Amino acid sequence: MRSSTRLCPRLALGAALALAVAAPAAMADADDVLSWSQTAARGLYELCRADAPDAAKVAEHGEVWGWPPFMGYLEHPDGYKREAGGESRRTFQDHDLSAYVEATIQSGEVTSAAPAEVQYFRCNMASDQPVDADLVSYFTERYGAPAAKTDAATVWLAGAAKTAAAVDDDAALQAVVAAGAGAEGLRIELTHDHGLDRAKFTLFRNAPPA
């Protein structure tokens, strides 16, 4: 069932998202490749912010906007019950120039949080182009200055997660559980690993009383 959150409102997907999924131009240069990658990464997070916490909706609308079908994958995180999700990759190719942006989405229940009923949503991105600097601007526009920034990672915290340490998703989860029924929190992390720029967007939602 579709749910909405204060942190992830339904957004109108406009020209920027259309550009992200548009077919590559006949000719390209390095700037074109980088620009395509940055816009595709932003477009993914427009989709995720619009449809969180429902990964199935993200996949559905992603295909409408030109992402290849989101295929199932085998990851089952310990302490989590994945109810929907998949992965997809958009590519840009022009002669010897190429780029890709990969999306991995999932949503479901945090079983390790029991007796609290906590839902989770993840939207992860990997790019073989340097898109994280652009995503710093994108996320700062929406969530303010990062909660932590080191050579290894840049992290944003929002909602109930603002009271957490920035170290990992588990700290954000515990802050949402401690905040009680109806609380929600968001953690975003940008890193560079194995030659790829990566972004992890994780939302936790503590279900209100029935």
Side-chain angles (χ1 to χ4, degrees), residues 58-72:
V58 176
E60 176 185 341
H61 289 133
E63 292 179 29
V64 169
W65 286 97
W67 284 81
F70 281 77
M71 307 301 293

Side-chain angles (χ1 to χ4, degrees), residues 3-160:
S3 301
S4 61
T5 72
R6 288 173 288 116
L7 291 177
C8 299
R10 179 70 181 161
L11 302 177
L13 301 178
L17 182 55
L19 178 59
V21 298
M27 298 298 293
D29 58 26
D31 289 341
D32 293 330
V33 172
L34 178 59
S35 178
W36 178 89
S37 300
Q38 292 171 338
T39 308
R42 283 186 176 226
L44 169 65
Y45 284 107
E46 286 294 302
L47 283 165
C48 287
R49 292 173 65 241
D51 288 319
D54 190 340
K57 286 291 186 182
V58 176
E60 176 185 341
H61 289 133
E63 292 179 29
V64 169
W65 286 97
W67 284 81
F70 281 77
M71 307 301 293
Y73 60 103
L74 299 179
E75 181 190 13
H76 289 276
D78 290 341
Y80 292 76
K81 180 183 177 182
R82 178 167 54 84
E83 297 171 349
E87 57 187 350
S88 181
R89 177 185 287 196
R90 289 200 58 82
T91 59
F92 181 108
Q93 181 70 51
D94 182 76
H95 300 290
D96 61 339
L97 299 178
S98 66
Y100 71 83
V101 173
E102 185 172 271
T104 307
I105 57 174
Q106 60 176 283
S107 61
E109 179 184 355
V110 186
T111 56
S112 63
E117 296 183 8
V118 178
Q119 298 295 308
Y120 80 98
F121 170 80
R122 286 179 174 163
C123 179
N124 296 346
M125 182 281 310
S127 171
D128 64 348
Q129 296 293 314
V131 301
D132 275 1
D134 183 68
L135 287 176
V136 167
S137 298
Y138 175 81
F139 289 123
T140 299
E141 288 170 3
R142 286 150 184 79
Y143 304 109
K149 186 170 184 177
T150 68
D151 291 340
T154 304
V155 176
W156 287 261
L157 299 171

